[in-house]
Amino acid sequence: MPEGPEIRRAADRVHRQLAGRRLDDAWFAFPDLAGQAPTLIGRRVAAVDSWGKALLTRFDDGRVLYSHNQLYGVWKLHAAGREPATGRSLRVRLVAQGRAASLYSASDVSLWEADRLGDHPFLSRLGPDLLTHGVSVEQAVQRLLEPHFRRRGVGGLLLDQSLFAGIGNYLRAEILFFAGLHFKVRPADLEKGTLMRLAACILAVTRQAYDQAGVTNRADWAAADRARGARRRHWRFAVFEREGLPCHGCGTAIERVMVASRRLYFCPHCQPAG
């Protein structure tokens, strides 16, 4: 499933396609939304952003179209009147000044007033989005030390969307590797400098994944792997999906374990247990 950086990049693409333009047409496959489609005609798309794995299309009248891609949803951008080549089921189409954005295969779509987004059953459970809500290192440290989070192992904690929205399986592994932390350590047990390093890695690795389309590895390590003919799935990451391969930093074989029912990759030398 795409993680926060991928959803934010998708939001950016839809934003570039529609933002600042007034809708000429809106279509929804869902009966409860179909009746509201005419009320969007003439409305200007103010912005498109993301919160975790949800995409939010904001209109100038204060309404927000919430959509969650889940496993199979995808937005396709195209010229109005020119159907994308796909066998997927169309769920949403927005058309503005000759441009169209079409959502396929997603089933979780709803229209909200912006001031009621906090009541949304999914969004209400999310922590701040690392790419949308301007989280600082200091704020990240404070959040890690909140009573609900501070005594939980970071390997499971980082997947909790109520901590920070958008961190998934590959980001978790990469963050812990670059922070040099074992997955069993707890925020409550870390000294301030180590907490600051973890918080900085949470922000930096997520930002790099966004900036570089999912690449979280160091540039020199990735270049060396590419020169050796490695596949993208191996050179794009420092540890994720590299079980049995040598750590870029120390040469120790990367290991895989199950943490919070998800596979986690780590270097036992760079991320010692004790």
Side-chain angles (χ1 to χ4, degrees):
M1 179 183 288
E3 301 184 20
E6 288 74 36
I7 300 302
R8 184 53 197 255
R9 288 175 69 89
D12 289 350
R13 290 192 293 272
V14 179
H15 179 92
R16 290 192 292 268
Q17 183 80 339
L18 299 178
R21 295 175 170 82
R22 295 188 181 277
L23 291 188
D24 300 314
D25 194 19
W27 182 90
F28 299 103
F30 310 98
D32 57 331
L33 287 177
Q36 299 183 67
T39 69
L40 291 173
I41 306 304
R43 298 265 57 100
R44 182 174 57 84
V45 177
V48 184
D49 56 42
S50 62
W51 190 348
K53 299 178 183 180
L55 189 143
L56 304 174
T57 303
R58 302 176 183 273
F59 301 101
D60 63 355
D61 63 353
R63 285 182 291 176
V64 181
L65 181 67
Y66 165 95
S67 62
H68 195 298
N69 285 7
Q70 298 167 307
L71 283 175
Y72 304 111
V74 61
W75 282 92
K76 290 184 175 292
L77 311 180
H78 54 101
R82 182 177 179 180
E83 293 292 324
T86 178
R88 294 171 177 264
S89 298
L90 180 63
R91 303 300 190 189
V92 175
R93 176 162 291 165
L94 303 175
V95 179
Q97 296 176 252
R99 301 183 176 198
S102 298
L103 176 61
Y104 292 88
S105 302
S107 58
D108 191 2
V109 181
S110 52
L111 196 60
W112 291 75
E113 297 292 337
D115 58 6
R116 290 191 57 243
L117 278 179
D119 299 328
H120 188 282
F122 176 72
L123 296 179
S124 63
R125 301 195 302 268
L126 295 182
D129 185 284
L130 295 164
L131 294 169
T132 300
H133 296 145
V135 180
S136 68
V137 171
E138 291 75 17
Q139 289 169 333
V141 168
Q142 292 173 7
R143 194 151 184 85
L144 287 164
L145 291 177
E146 288 184 9
H148 182 62
F149 305 126
R150 65 193 311 269
R151 297 194 181 279
R152 296 169 57 187
V154 290
L157 177 59
L158 288 180
L159 292 184
D160 186 338
Q161 299 299 291
S162 69
L163 174 68
F164 300 113
I167 297 177
N169 216 27
Y170 84 79
L171 282 177
R172 168 181 69 162
E174 299 291 286
I175 288 167
L176 291 178
F177 172 77
F178 284 110
L181 293 176
H182 191 269
F183 53 85
K184 289 185 178 180
V185 303
R186 307 180 306 171
D189 300 328
L190 300 176
E191 61 181 22
K192 183 177 180 181
T194 306
L195 268 172
M196 293 287 286
R197 184 172 74 242
L198 172 58
C201 285
I202 288 171
L203 298 178
V205 173
T206 301
R207 171 58 61 174
Q208 181 179 332
Y210 165 75
D211 289 340
Q212 299 185 24
V215 176
T216 52
N217 202 359
R218 270 177 38 174
D220 55 336
W221 291 349
D225 259 5
R226 289 197 301 271
R228 289 191 289 267
R231 292 177 294 175
R232 185 178 188 273
R233 62 178 294 187
H234 289 151
W235 63 254
R236 68 178 279 203
F237 299 124
V239 289
F240 188 72
E241 291 192 331
R242 299 189 71 249
E243 180 184 11
L245 295 175
C247 171
H248 293 293
C250 70
T252 303
I254 300 300
E255 296 183 6
R256 184 180 82 162
V257 292
M258 297 298 290
V259 178
S261 302
R262 304 285 297 279
R263 56 200 170 100
L264 185 145
Y265 301 81
F266 74 108
C267 172
H269 180 267
C270 297
Q271 300 166 258

